[in-house]
Amino acid sequence: MQLVLEKRAERSNTIALVSPLIAIGLTIVTMVILFAILGKNPLLALHAYFIAPLTDGYSLQEIAVKATPLVMIAIGLSLCYLANAWNIGAEGQFLIGAVAGSWIAVKTQGTDVGAWVLPVMLVLAAAAGALYALIPAICKVKFGASEILTSLMLVYVADLFLDYLVRGPWRDPHGFNFPTTAEFDPVATVPLLIEGGRLHLGSIIALLVVAAAAILLGRTIKGFEIRVVGAAPRAARFGGFNANQLIILTFAVSGALAGLAGIIEVAGPVGHLQPGISPGYGFTAIIVAFLGRLNPLGILIAGLFLALTFIGGEQAQIAMKIPLDVTKVFQGILLFYVLACDSLILYRFRLVFPNRQVTRGAG
Amino acid sequence: MELVEAIILSVLAASTPLLIAATGELVTEHSGVLNLGVEGMMIVGAACGFAGAWLTGSIFIGALFGIVAGTLMSLIFALMALGLAVNQVATGLALTILGVGLSGLIGAGFVGERIAPAVHLAIPGLTDIPLIGRVLFGEDAFVYFSIALIIGVWWFLYRTRAGLILRACGDNHVSAHALGYPVLRIRTFAVMFGGACAGLAGAYLPLAYTPFFIPGMTAGRGWIALALVVFSSWRPGRLVVGAYLFGAVTILQLHAQGWGVGIPSQFMSALPYLATVIVLVLLSRARTGGSTAPAALGTVFVPDR
């Protein structure tokens, strides 16, 4: 018995739409098995993961807060992936953005400055993220160095740089020796949308980013170029599209968005710069991008879903003592199923039995 | 003198996991498959390796656990990238994301536990020779195995018929297929070999490098191993040189801290990663005359019947 792939004459649009749903279904089935192996009641666990967080206002806000960086980063990554540029260092660009924006917040701390601080922080963070992403992009375009490896190596460098700053020059002198900066001044923090709640302005910015990406991809020549270069590099060359230029552009945009997400996270929900500001947002965003089928609206939905798994994971840990790493396993399995189901768009799977193969060959 | 000896010993120890993981990936890439999941397979190998050794008290069984874990992980990759013809880059990333989660889950019960690390060879007389004695005759078994492994792989790839066929699959899968070689089956074996090596390399960390397990202890070594394969221009000899160079950079940063060099430790810790970027750039730049990578590397192959 052998699994055989047959190329479809044209991509199946039906499957393109339902494949993420099939993937989620298969992931949940796999999780039920995993919960059973861990000796937890699968139904209660599923409830804790997927239902409980949706039942109260606080958790709903928390989902939006978690989805904000995921969606912003994933939108940028989707532009890269559509253009066949493999930026997987968004985590580093996120951290560098957080650092660059925090710089102003730390330097102006306690001084009576105006409301210009926050906008400058956002701009600086986006610029720093873009510049940091340009390192692998330029190494790729100029020297042919694998952007996958260089962008990833820079994640570790960014992580260590942040660590150095909060343990060294930027450490809060009143912080009981914890590696953290002081809490940002109110003018240097992202305003809340609901008084006393958790939802902040960053979520609005994320929605604007989604809308902008939808317009870019659906309504502009640049967006068309990005999609053609990724889908049909040869055709793109005949069309006179410059693939290298698009690598630079998509990396810069994706780095800027990751950097922006970084400062929004630090100046918003976290409130100060410290190590561990990201539970792997830059990597989870890769899953969000693929689960959302590299489509802005899809990414918005996928981002909310992945945020749900983060919050659900926390609830499951508190309520049922399910280890937090289960959430990461869950996300990894989900990505596998998403990719496997994507294969169905281009291919038809068939099981072939050797004896039947012979008769087929004769005919 | 003793310091020099200590440095050489620690360089060898730091290089060994890189060498083992990179050797496995070298074979995988020669068959035409780019498996970016080395870090994921390594980190699961580390957790399973420690679990095995802790449960049985045997370093050898721990190493076997690591190998089996890495191989199983690589089978998931083979099923996806070869069986279902999914993009290899995306599948490799997925493998790493999954591996980090699984490793945390498996290793959670073992954090803080200790085991007796792998013993070092001691031959009376030989090991006592000043300077070279401990370096040549006083390593742990993994170090010797890693050298035997890369020599074996060189011999296999360039001196056997099977090795030639494997490289043919990596250079031109269509021709190899037309000649009647089972490209996908050969690639699956190559991926499994890479997984076994990555698992063993991961297991080396808690079994011989440090006697305990901490989450995330591979710290990007799997990615550096991938870069080493590029560094080596897919040649086993240069792979050895590269692995020891990187091991030396890793140890350099540790010792620089001890010597009180006035540079913050984080900057020294960033050295291996920065070195990787610089090496990748320099090498890719030097290779403008045409890539030495296997021609079919990373491409999807669906046999057309």
Side-chain angles (χ1 to χ4, degrees), chain A residues 9-23:
Chain A
E10 51 190 300
R11 27 179 299 137
S12 163
N13 286 326
T14 326
I15 292 184
L17 278 177
V18 296
S19 85
L21 300 177
I22 304 174

Side-chain angles (χ1 to χ4, degrees), chain A residues 227-251:
Chain A
R227 284 185 290 134
V228 173
V229 163
R234 250 169 75 82
R237 269 202 301 282
F238 291 131
F241 299 157
N242 186 339
N244 278 348
Q245 199 201 334
L246 282 182
I247 291 177
I248 300 270
L249 178 77
T250 53
F251 259 82

